[in-house]
Short mmCIF file of all heavy atoms in Angstrom, two decimals:
data_model
loop_
_atom_site.label_atom_id
_atom_site.label_comp_id
_atom_site.label_asym_id
_atom_site.label_seq_id
_atom_site.Cartn_x
_atom_site.Cartn_y
_atom_site.Cartn_z
N MET A 1 -52.20 32.03 19.27
CA MET A 1 -51.58 32.86 20.31
C MET A 1 -50.14 32.39 20.55
O MET A 1 -49.89 31.20 20.71
CB MET A 1 -52.37 32.73 21.61
CG MET A 1 -53.62 33.60 21.67
SD MET A 1 -53.24 35.31 22.02
CE MET A 1 -52.94 35.26 23.77
N PRO A 2 -49.18 33.30 20.61
CA PRO A 2 -47.80 32.89 20.89
C PRO A 2 -47.62 32.47 22.34
O PRO A 2 -48.27 33.01 23.24
CB PRO A 2 -46.99 34.14 20.55
CG PRO A 2 -47.95 35.26 20.63
CD PRO A 2 -49.31 34.73 20.35
N VAL A 3 -46.76 31.48 22.52
CA VAL A 3 -46.47 30.98 23.86
C VAL A 3 -45.19 31.66 24.35
O VAL A 3 -44.22 31.74 23.60
CB VAL A 3 -46.29 29.44 23.84
CG1 VAL A 3 -46.05 28.90 25.24
CG2 VAL A 3 -47.52 28.79 23.23
N PRO A 4 -45.17 32.18 25.58
CA PRO A 4 -43.94 32.80 26.07
C PRO A 4 -42.80 31.80 26.16
O PRO A 4 -43.03 30.62 26.45
CB PRO A 4 -44.32 33.34 27.45
CG PRO A 4 -45.62 32.77 27.78
CD PRO A 4 -46.27 32.33 26.52
N PRO A 5 -41.54 32.25 25.92
CA PRO A 5 -40.41 31.32 25.87
C PRO A 5 -40.24 30.49 27.12
O PRO A 5 -39.84 29.32 27.06
CB PRO A 5 -39.21 32.24 25.64
CG PRO A 5 -39.76 33.46 25.04
CD PRO A 5 -41.15 33.61 25.59
N LYS A 6 -40.52 31.04 28.30
CA LYS A 6 -40.30 30.26 29.52
C LYS A 6 -41.37 29.19 29.72
O LYS A 6 -41.21 28.30 30.56
CB LYS A 6 -40.21 31.18 30.73
CG LYS A 6 -41.48 31.95 31.08
CD LYS A 6 -41.25 32.82 32.29
CE LYS A 6 -42.51 33.62 32.63
NZ LYS A 6 -42.30 34.47 33.79
N ARG A 7 -42.47 29.24 28.95
CA ARG A 7 -43.50 28.20 29.03
C ARG A 7 -43.23 27.08 28.01
O ARG A 7 -43.89 26.06 28.04
CB ARG A 7 -44.89 28.79 28.76
CG ARG A 7 -45.24 29.94 29.65
CD ARG A 7 -46.03 29.60 30.87
NE ARG A 7 -47.15 28.72 30.68
CZ ARG A 7 -47.91 28.31 31.69
NH1 ARG A 7 -47.63 28.72 32.91
NH2 ARG A 7 -48.92 27.51 31.48
N ARG A 8 -42.30 27.31 27.09
CA ARG A 8 -41.98 26.29 26.08
C ARG A 8 -40.86 25.40 26.60
O ARG A 8 -39.91 25.89 27.22
CB ARG A 8 -41.53 26.93 24.77
CG ARG A 8 -42.65 27.56 23.99
CD ARG A 8 -42.14 28.09 22.68
NE ARG A 8 -42.26 27.08 21.64
CZ ARG A 8 -41.75 27.22 20.44
NH1 ARG A 8 -41.06 28.29 20.13
NH2 ARG A 8 -41.90 26.28 19.54
N SER A 9 -40.96 24.10 26.31
CA SER A 9 -39.92 23.18 26.75
C SER A 9 -38.66 23.37 25.90
O SER A 9 -38.70 23.93 24.81
CB SER A 9 -40.40 21.73 26.64
OG SER A 9 -40.57 21.39 25.28
N GLN A 10 -37.54 22.84 26.44
CA GLN A 10 -36.25 22.98 25.74
C GLN A 10 -36.29 22.27 24.38
O GLN A 10 -35.77 22.78 23.39
CB GLN A 10 -35.16 22.37 26.62
CG GLN A 10 -33.76 22.82 26.27
CD GLN A 10 -32.74 22.23 27.23
OE1 GLN A 10 -32.89 21.12 27.72
NE2 GLN A 10 -31.71 22.97 27.51
N SER A 11 -36.94 21.11 24.33
CA SER A 11 -36.97 20.35 23.08
C SER A 11 -37.85 21.04 22.04
O SER A 11 -37.56 20.99 20.84
CB SER A 11 -37.46 18.93 23.33
OG SER A 11 -38.82 18.94 23.73
N LYS A 12 -38.93 21.69 22.47
CA LYS A 12 -39.80 22.42 21.53
C LYS A 12 -39.03 23.56 20.87
O LYS A 12 -39.14 23.78 19.67
CB LYS A 12 -41.02 22.98 22.28
CG LYS A 12 -42.17 22.03 22.37
CD LYS A 12 -43.16 22.27 21.24
CE LYS A 12 -44.40 21.40 21.43
NZ LYS A 12 -45.33 21.55 20.32
N GLY A 13 -38.23 24.28 21.69
CA GLY A 13 -37.45 25.38 21.15
C GLY A 13 -36.39 24.89 20.20
O GLY A 13 -36.18 25.49 19.13
N LYS A 14 -35.73 23.77 20.54
CA LYS A 14 -34.68 23.23 19.68
C LYS A 14 -35.25 22.67 18.39
O LYS A 14 -34.64 22.76 17.33
CB LYS A 14 -33.90 22.14 20.43
CG LYS A 14 -32.92 22.72 21.43
CD LYS A 14 -32.20 21.65 22.18
CE LYS A 14 -31.22 22.28 23.16
NZ LYS A 14 -30.57 21.25 23.99
N ARG A 15 -36.45 22.07 18.45
CA ARG A 15 -37.09 21.55 17.24
C ARG A 15 -37.45 22.68 16.28
O ARG A 15 -37.39 22.52 15.07
CB ARG A 15 -38.35 20.76 17.60
CG ARG A 15 -38.11 19.26 17.67
CD ARG A 15 -39.41 18.53 17.91
NE ARG A 15 -39.75 18.57 19.32
CZ ARG A 15 -40.98 18.34 19.80
NH1 ARG A 15 -41.97 18.07 18.98
NH2 ARG A 15 -41.20 18.39 21.09
N GLY A 16 -37.82 23.81 16.84
CA GLY A 16 -38.14 24.96 15.99
C GLY A 16 -36.92 25.48 15.26
O GLY A 16 -37.04 26.02 14.16
N ARG A 17 -35.74 25.30 15.85
CA ARG A 17 -34.50 25.78 15.24
C ARG A 17 -33.78 24.70 14.43
O ARG A 17 -32.63 24.87 14.06
CB ARG A 17 -33.57 26.31 16.33
CG ARG A 17 -33.85 27.74 16.73
CD ARG A 17 -32.96 28.21 17.86
NE ARG A 17 -33.69 28.25 19.11
CZ ARG A 17 -33.40 27.51 20.18
NH1 ARG A 17 -32.38 26.69 20.17
NH2 ARG A 17 -34.12 27.60 21.27
N SER A 18 -34.46 23.59 14.15
CA SER A 18 -33.79 22.47 13.48
C SER A 18 -33.39 22.80 12.05
O SER A 18 -32.49 22.17 11.51
CB SER A 18 -34.68 21.23 13.50
OG SER A 18 -35.85 21.47 12.76
N HIS A 19 -34.03 23.77 11.41
CA HIS A 19 -33.70 24.12 10.02
C HIS A 19 -32.95 25.45 9.94
O HIS A 19 -32.80 26.00 8.85
CB HIS A 19 -34.97 24.20 9.17
CG HIS A 19 -35.75 22.93 9.17
ND1 HIS A 19 -35.32 21.79 8.53
CD2 HIS A 19 -36.91 22.59 9.78
CE1 HIS A 19 -36.20 20.82 8.72
NE2 HIS A 19 -37.17 21.28 9.48
N ALA A 20 -32.53 25.99 11.09
CA ALA A 20 -31.90 27.31 11.10
C ALA A 20 -30.38 27.24 11.00
O ALA A 20 -29.72 28.26 11.09
CB ALA A 20 -32.29 28.04 12.39
N ALA A 21 -29.83 26.04 10.76
CA ALA A 21 -28.37 25.91 10.70
C ALA A 21 -27.82 26.57 9.44
O ALA A 21 -28.47 26.59 8.39
CB ALA A 21 -27.99 24.44 10.71
N LEU A 22 -26.62 27.13 9.53
CA LEU A 22 -25.97 27.75 8.39
C LEU A 22 -25.44 26.67 7.45
O LEU A 22 -24.96 25.63 7.90
CB LEU A 22 -24.81 28.63 8.86
CG LEU A 22 -25.19 29.85 9.69
CD1 LEU A 22 -23.94 30.53 10.22
CD2 LEU A 22 -26.03 30.83 8.90
N VAL A 23 -25.54 26.95 6.16
CA VAL A 23 -25.09 26.01 5.14
C VAL A 23 -23.76 26.48 4.59
O VAL A 23 -23.59 27.67 4.27
CB VAL A 23 -26.14 25.88 4.01
CG1 VAL A 23 -25.66 24.90 2.96
CG2 VAL A 23 -27.47 25.45 4.58
N LYS A 24 -22.81 25.58 4.51
CA LYS A 24 -21.49 25.92 3.98
C LYS A 24 -21.61 26.17 2.47
O LYS A 24 -22.19 25.33 1.76
CB LYS A 24 -20.53 24.77 4.24
CG LYS A 24 -19.08 25.13 4.10
CD LYS A 24 -18.21 23.93 4.43
CE LYS A 24 -16.76 24.26 4.19
NZ LYS A 24 -15.91 23.08 4.43
N PRO A 25 -21.09 27.29 1.96
CA PRO A 25 -21.23 27.56 0.53
C PRO A 25 -20.40 26.59 -0.31
O PRO A 25 -19.30 26.18 0.08
CB PRO A 25 -20.72 28.99 0.38
CG PRO A 25 -19.86 29.21 1.56
CD PRO A 25 -20.42 28.39 2.66
N VAL A 26 -20.94 26.24 -1.49
CA VAL A 26 -20.23 25.34 -2.41
C VAL A 26 -19.12 26.12 -3.09
O VAL A 26 -19.36 27.19 -3.64
CB VAL A 26 -21.22 24.75 -3.44
CG1 VAL A 26 -20.48 23.86 -4.42
CG2 VAL A 26 -22.31 23.98 -2.74
N LEU A 27 -17.91 25.60 -3.02
CA LEU A 27 -16.77 26.28 -3.62
C LEU A 27 -16.10 25.35 -4.63
O LEU A 27 -15.93 24.16 -4.38
CB LEU A 27 -15.76 26.69 -2.55
CG LEU A 27 -16.22 27.78 -1.58
CD1 LEU A 27 -15.19 27.95 -0.48
CD2 LEU A 27 -16.47 29.09 -2.28
N ILE A 28 -15.76 25.92 -5.80
CA ILE A 28 -15.00 25.19 -6.80
C ILE A 28 -13.70 25.94 -7.04
O ILE A 28 -13.55 27.09 -6.62
CB ILE A 28 -15.78 25.03 -8.13
CG1 ILE A 28 -16.18 26.41 -8.69
CG2 ILE A 28 -16.99 24.14 -7.94
CD1 ILE A 28 -16.46 26.40 -10.16
N LYS A 29 -12.78 25.29 -7.70
CA LYS A 29 -11.49 25.92 -7.99
C LYS A 29 -11.59 26.67 -9.32
O LYS A 29 -12.03 26.11 -10.32
CB LYS A 29 -10.43 24.82 -8.09
CG LYS A 29 -9.04 25.28 -7.76
CD LYS A 29 -8.13 24.07 -7.63
CE LYS A 29 -6.80 24.35 -8.26
NZ LYS A 29 -5.95 23.16 -8.28
N CYS A 30 -11.20 27.95 -9.32
CA CYS A 30 -11.24 28.75 -10.54
C CYS A 30 -10.24 28.18 -11.54
O CYS A 30 -9.08 27.95 -11.20
CB CYS A 30 -10.91 30.20 -10.21
SG CYS A 30 -10.78 31.27 -11.66
N PRO A 31 -10.66 27.92 -12.81
CA PRO A 31 -9.72 27.35 -13.79
C PRO A 31 -8.60 28.30 -14.19
O PRO A 31 -7.57 27.88 -14.68
CB PRO A 31 -10.62 27.01 -14.98
CG PRO A 31 -11.81 27.86 -14.82
CD PRO A 31 -12.00 28.08 -13.35
N LYS A 32 -8.82 29.61 -13.99
CA LYS A 32 -7.81 30.58 -14.41
C LYS A 32 -6.80 30.90 -13.30
O LYS A 32 -5.60 30.85 -13.52
CB LYS A 32 -8.51 31.87 -14.86
CG LYS A 32 -7.67 32.70 -15.82
CD LYS A 32 -8.48 33.86 -16.36
CE LYS A 32 -7.67 34.66 -17.35
NZ LYS A 32 -8.43 35.83 -17.83
N CYS A 33 -7.31 31.22 -12.11
CA CYS A 33 -6.39 31.63 -11.04
C CYS A 33 -6.32 30.60 -9.91
O CYS A 33 -5.57 30.80 -8.97
CB CYS A 33 -6.81 33.00 -10.49
SG CYS A 33 -8.37 32.99 -9.61
N SER A 34 -7.10 29.51 -10.03
CA SER A 34 -7.13 28.39 -9.08
C SER A 34 -7.42 28.81 -7.65
O SER A 34 -6.98 28.18 -6.70
CB SER A 34 -5.83 27.58 -9.15
OG SER A 34 -4.76 28.33 -8.62
N ARG A 35 -8.20 29.87 -7.49
CA ARG A 35 -8.66 30.26 -6.15
C ARG A 35 -10.09 29.75 -5.97
O ARG A 35 -10.81 29.56 -6.95
CB ARG A 35 -8.65 31.79 -6.01
CG ARG A 35 -7.25 32.33 -5.81
CD ARG A 35 -7.30 33.81 -5.55
NE ARG A 35 -5.97 34.39 -5.74
CZ ARG A 35 -5.75 35.69 -5.88
NH1 ARG A 35 -6.72 36.54 -5.87
NH2 ARG A 35 -4.53 36.14 -6.05
N PRO A 36 -10.54 29.52 -4.74
CA PRO A 36 -11.90 29.02 -4.55
C PRO A 36 -12.95 30.07 -4.92
O PRO A 36 -12.89 31.21 -4.46
CB PRO A 36 -11.95 28.68 -3.06
CG PRO A 36 -10.84 29.45 -2.45
CD PRO A 36 -9.79 29.60 -3.48
N THR A 37 -13.91 29.65 -5.77
CA THR A 37 -15.01 30.53 -6.19
C THR A 37 -16.30 29.74 -6.14
O THR A 37 -16.30 28.52 -6.06
CB THR A 37 -14.80 31.05 -7.62
OG1 THR A 37 -14.66 29.93 -8.49
CG2 THR A 37 -13.60 31.94 -7.73
N ARG A 38 -17.41 30.45 -6.24
CA ARG A 38 -18.71 29.79 -6.27
C ARG A 38 -19.04 29.41 -7.71
O ARG A 38 -18.72 30.15 -8.64
CB ARG A 38 -19.79 30.73 -5.70
CG ARG A 38 -19.45 31.17 -4.30
CD ARG A 38 -20.64 31.77 -3.62
NE ARG A 38 -21.62 30.73 -3.31
CZ ARG A 38 -22.77 30.95 -2.71
NH1 ARG A 38 -23.11 32.15 -2.36
NH2 ARG A 38 -23.59 29.96 -2.46
N PRO A 39 -19.68 28.25 -7.94
CA PRO A 39 -19.99 27.83 -9.29
C PRO A 39 -21.07 28.71 -9.93
O PRO A 39 -21.91 29.27 -9.23
CB PRO A 39 -20.49 26.39 -9.12
CG PRO A 39 -20.92 26.29 -7.71
CD PRO A 39 -20.06 27.23 -6.94
N HIS A 40 -21.03 28.84 -11.25
CA HIS A 40 -21.97 29.61 -12.07
C HIS A 40 -21.91 31.10 -11.74
O HIS A 40 -22.87 31.83 -11.97
CB HIS A 40 -23.41 29.11 -11.90
CG HIS A 40 -23.55 27.63 -12.10
ND1 HIS A 40 -23.42 27.02 -13.31
CD2 HIS A 40 -23.77 26.64 -11.21
CE1 HIS A 40 -23.57 25.72 -13.17
NE2 HIS A 40 -23.78 25.45 -11.90
N GLN A 41 -20.77 31.55 -11.20
CA GLN A 41 -20.60 32.97 -10.89
C GLN A 41 -19.22 33.43 -11.30
O GLN A 41 -18.28 32.63 -11.35
CB GLN A 41 -20.80 33.22 -9.39
CG GLN A 41 -22.27 33.14 -8.99
CD GLN A 41 -22.48 33.34 -7.52
OE1 GLN A 41 -21.73 34.03 -6.86
NE2 GLN A 41 -23.51 32.70 -7.00
N VAL A 42 -19.12 34.72 -11.60
CA VAL A 42 -17.83 35.30 -12.00
C VAL A 42 -16.87 35.22 -10.81
O VAL A 42 -17.26 35.49 -9.67
CB VAL A 42 -18.03 36.76 -12.46
CG1 VAL A 42 -16.69 37.44 -12.70
CG2 VAL A 42 -18.85 36.79 -13.74
N CYS A 43 -15.63 34.85 -11.10
CA CYS A 43 -14.63 34.73 -10.05
C CYS A 43 -14.34 36.12 -9.45
O CYS A 43 -14.03 37.05 -10.19
CB CYS A 43 -13.35 34.14 -10.64
SG CYS A 43 -11.98 34.10 -9.50
N PRO A 44 -14.44 36.29 -8.14
CA PRO A 44 -14.19 37.62 -7.55
C PRO A 44 -12.72 38.00 -7.55
O PRO A 44 -12.39 39.17 -7.40
CB PRO A 44 -14.72 37.47 -6.13
CG PRO A 44 -14.66 36.02 -5.84
CD PRO A 44 -14.88 35.32 -7.13
N ALA A 45 -11.82 37.02 -7.74
CA ALA A 45 -10.39 37.31 -7.68
C ALA A 45 -9.86 37.79 -9.02
O ALA A 45 -9.07 38.73 -9.08
CB ALA A 45 -9.64 36.07 -7.21
N CYS A 46 -10.27 37.14 -10.15
CA CYS A 46 -9.74 37.50 -11.46
C CYS A 46 -10.82 37.98 -12.42
O CYS A 46 -10.49 38.46 -13.51
CB CYS A 46 -8.97 36.32 -12.06
SG CYS A 46 -9.98 34.89 -12.43
N GLY A 47 -12.11 37.87 -12.08
CA GLY A 47 -13.18 38.39 -12.93
C GLY A 47 -13.46 37.52 -14.14
O GLY A 47 -14.04 38.01 -15.11
N SER A 48 -13.09 36.25 -14.11
CA SER A 48 -13.31 35.39 -15.28
C SER A 48 -14.47 34.45 -15.03
O SER A 48 -14.79 34.10 -13.89
CB SER A 48 -12.05 34.58 -15.58
OG SER A 48 -11.84 33.61 -14.59
N TYR A 49 -15.11 34.04 -16.14
CA TYR A 49 -16.17 33.05 -16.07
C TYR A 49 -16.03 32.16 -17.29
O TYR A 49 -15.93 32.65 -18.41
CB TYR A 49 -17.54 33.72 -16.03
CG TYR A 49 -18.69 32.74 -15.91
CD1 TYR A 49 -18.93 32.08 -14.72
CD2 TYR A 49 -19.51 32.46 -17.00
CE1 TYR A 49 -19.95 31.17 -14.60
CE2 TYR A 49 -20.54 31.55 -16.89
CZ TYR A 49 -20.77 30.91 -15.69
OH TYR A 49 -21.78 30.00 -15.58
N LYS A 50 -16.02 30.86 -17.12
CA LYS A 50 -15.82 29.86 -18.17
C LYS A 50 -14.54 30.12 -18.94
O LYS A 50 -14.49 30.08 -20.17
CB LYS A 50 -17.03 29.82 -19.12
CG LYS A 50 -18.21 29.09 -18.52
CD LYS A 50 -19.22 28.72 -19.59
CE LYS A 50 -20.27 27.78 -19.01
NZ LYS A 50 -21.28 27.40 -20.01
N GLY A 51 -13.47 30.48 -18.22
CA GLY A 51 -12.16 30.63 -18.83
C GLY A 51 -11.91 31.93 -19.53
O GLY A 51 -10.81 32.16 -20.03
N LYS A 52 -12.92 32.83 -19.62
CA LYS A 52 -12.72 34.12 -20.27
C LYS A 52 -12.94 35.24 -19.27
O LYS A 52 -13.75 35.11 -18.34
CB LYS A 52 -13.70 34.29 -21.43
CG LYS A 52 -13.34 33.46 -22.64
CD LYS A 52 -14.31 33.75 -23.76
CE LYS A 52 -13.99 32.93 -25.00
NZ LYS A 52 -15.00 33.17 -26.06
N GLU A 53 -12.25 36.36 -19.49
CA GLU A 53 -12.41 37.51 -18.60
C GLU A 53 -13.71 38.21 -18.94
O GLU A 53 -13.88 38.71 -20.06
CB GLU A 53 -11.22 38.46 -18.75
CG GLU A 53 -11.19 39.50 -17.64
CD GLU A 53 -10.02 40.47 -17.77
OE1 GLU A 53 -8.98 40.08 -18.30
OE2 GLU A 53 -10.19 41.62 -17.34
N ARG A 54 -14.64 38.25 -18.00
CA ARG A 54 -15.96 38.83 -18.24
C ARG A 54 -16.06 40.25 -17.69
O ARG A 54 -16.72 41.09 -18.27
CB ARG A 54 -17.04 37.96 -17.60
CG ARG A 54 -17.04 36.53 -18.08
CD ARG A 54 -17.42 36.41 -19.51
NE ARG A 54 -17.28 35.01 -19.93
CZ ARG A 54 -17.70 34.55 -21.10
NH1 ARG A 54 -18.26 35.36 -21.97
NH2 ARG A 54 -17.52 33.30 -21.42
N ILE A 55 -15.47 40.49 -16.54
CA ILE A 55 -15.52 41.84 -15.96
C ILE A 55 -14.10 42.25 -15.62
O ILE A 55 -13.25 41.42 -15.31
CB ILE A 55 -16.43 41.91 -14.71
CG1 ILE A 55 -16.01 40.89 -13.66
CG2 ILE A 55 -17.89 41.72 -15.08
CD1 ILE A 55 -16.64 41.12 -12.31
N LYS A 56 -13.85 43.55 -15.72
CA LYS A 56 -12.54 44.06 -15.35
C LYS A 56 -12.59 44.53 -13.91
O LYS A 56 -13.44 45.33 -13.53
CB LYS A 56 -12.15 45.22 -16.27
CG LYS A 56 -11.78 44.73 -17.66
CD LYS A 56 -11.11 45.80 -18.48
CE LYS A 56 -10.66 45.24 -19.81
NZ LYS A 56 -10.03 46.28 -20.65
N LEU A 57 -11.68 43.99 -13.09
CA LEU A 57 -11.65 44.33 -11.68
C LEU A 57 -10.65 45.45 -11.44
O LEU A 57 -9.63 45.54 -12.13
CB LEU A 57 -11.26 43.10 -10.85
CG LEU A 57 -12.23 41.93 -10.91
CD1 LEU A 57 -11.62 40.72 -10.24
CD2 LEU A 57 -13.54 42.27 -10.24
N LYS A 58 -10.98 46.30 -10.48
CA LYS A 58 -10.06 47.36 -10.10
C LYS A 58 -8.87 46.76 -9.37
O LYS A 58 -9.03 46.00 -8.41
CB LYS A 58 -10.77 48.38 -9.20
CG LYS A 58 -11.78 49.22 -9.94
CD LYS A 58 -12.48 50.17 -9.00
CE LYS A 58 -13.53 50.96 -9.74
NZ LYS A 58 -14.30 51.84 -8.83
N MET A 59 -7.70 47.09 -9.81
CA MET A 59 -6.49 46.54 -9.20
C MET A 59 -6.19 47.27 -7.89
O MET A 59 -6.41 48.46 -7.76
CB MET A 59 -5.29 46.69 -10.15
CG MET A 59 -5.41 45.83 -11.37
SD MET A 59 -5.28 44.09 -10.96
CE MET A 59 -5.57 43.35 -12.54
N LYS A 60 -5.65 46.51 -6.94
CA LYS A 60 -5.28 47.09 -5.66
C LYS A 60 -3.76 47.17 -5.54
O LYS A 60 -3.18 46.79 -4.54
CB LYS A 60 -5.86 46.25 -4.52
CG LYS A 60 -7.37 46.34 -4.44
CD LYS A 60 -7.92 45.48 -3.32
CE LYS A 60 -9.42 45.57 -3.27
NZ LYS A 60 -9.97 44.69 -2.22
N LYS A 61 -3.11 47.64 -6.63
CA LYS A 61 -1.66 47.71 -6.63
C LYS A 61 -1.13 48.87 -5.79
O LYS A 61 -0.01 48.85 -5.32
CB LYS A 61 -1.15 47.85 -8.07
CG LYS A 61 -1.21 46.55 -8.84
CD LYS A 61 -0.61 46.67 -10.22
CE LYS A 61 -0.65 45.33 -10.93
NZ LYS A 61 -0.14 45.43 -12.32
N LYS A 62 -1.98 49.91 -5.63
CA LYS A 62 -1.54 51.08 -4.83
C LYS A 62 -1.23 50.69 -3.39
O LYS A 62 -0.28 51.15 -2.80
CB LYS A 62 -2.62 52.17 -4.87
CG LYS A 62 -2.70 52.87 -6.21
CD LYS A 62 -3.77 53.95 -6.18
CE LYS A 62 -3.87 54.62 -7.54
NZ LYS A 62 -4.96 55.62 -7.58
N LYS A 63 -2.08 49.81 -2.83
CA LYS A 63 -1.87 49.39 -1.44
C LYS A 63 -0.65 48.47 -1.32
O LYS A 63 0.01 48.44 -0.31
CB LYS A 63 -3.12 48.68 -0.91
CG LYS A 63 -4.25 49.63 -0.60
CD LYS A 63 -5.43 48.90 0.02
CE LYS A 63 -6.53 49.88 0.35
NZ LYS A 63 -7.72 49.20 0.89
N GLU A 64 -0.41 47.68 -2.39
CA GLU A 64 0.71 46.74 -2.35
C GLU A 64 2.05 47.47 -2.37
O GLU A 64 3.02 47.01 -1.80
CB GLU A 64 0.62 45.77 -3.54
CG GLU A 64 -0.51 44.76 -3.37
CD GLU A 64 -0.70 43.90 -4.61
OE1 GLU A 64 0.07 44.05 -5.55
OE2 GLU A 64 -1.64 43.10 -4.59
N ASN A 65 2.10 48.64 -3.08
CA ASN A 65 3.36 49.36 -3.18
C ASN A 65 3.78 50.01 -1.86
O ASN A 65 4.95 50.19 -1.61
CB ASN A 65 3.25 50.45 -4.27
CG ASN A 65 3.19 49.80 -5.66
OD1 ASN A 65 3.65 48.68 -5.84
ND2 ASN A 65 2.61 50.50 -6.61
N LYS A 66 2.75 50.36 -1.04
CA LYS A 66 3.07 51.08 0.20
C LYS A 66 3.72 50.19 1.24
O LYS A 66 3.54 49.05 1.33
CB LYS A 66 1.79 51.70 0.79
CG LYS A 66 1.39 52.94 0.03
CD LYS A 66 0.11 53.55 0.62
CE LYS A 66 -0.31 54.74 -0.21
NZ LYS A 66 -1.59 55.27 0.28
ZN1 LIG B 101 -10.27 33.36 -10.85
#
C-alpha cells in the first residue's frame, strides 16, 4: 500500500530520490572541428566520426546572410 506524502518523513523522501540526480554528459573534443561532442557518436557540428565525414549536414548559411 502506498503511504501518503505527508505521512512520510523528510529523510525517507530524500532517500528515495538519492539516485534521481542528473548525470553530466561525457564530452570529448571533436578532432576535426574541435567542438565538444559525445564519444562514439557522429559530431553534430561537422558530421564527422573518426576523422571522416559520415553524414552530410544541412548548412544554415541562409540565416547567416540575413
Ligand atoms: Zn566536429
Side-chain angles (χ1 to χ4, degrees):
M1 279 282 283
V3 183
K6 65 180 178 181
R7 305 266 313 178
R8 286 183 91 188
S9 67
Q10 199 177 34
S11 67
K12 272 266 186 183
K14 283 178 179 176
R15 263 185 279 161
R17 276 177 256 118
S18 64
H19 302 289
L22 294 173
V23 180
K24 196 178 176 184
V26 178
L27 292 173
I28 57 158
K29 206 169 139 186
C30 175
K32 203 173 182 183
C33 67
S34 70
R35 283 185 196 164
T37 56
R38 302 195 71 180
H40 309 289
Q41 285 178 30
V42 172
C43 174
C46 65
S48 70
Y49 182 73
K50 284 196 170 180
K52 286 183 180 177
E53 192 180 330
R54 303 293 175 172
I55 55 167
K56 287 192 175 178
L57 297 170
K58 289 178 182 176
M59 292 292 176
K60 292 179 180 177
K61 284 184 178 177
K62 287 181 182 177
K63 285 184 179 178
E64 288 174 2
N65 290 336
K66 283 180 183 176

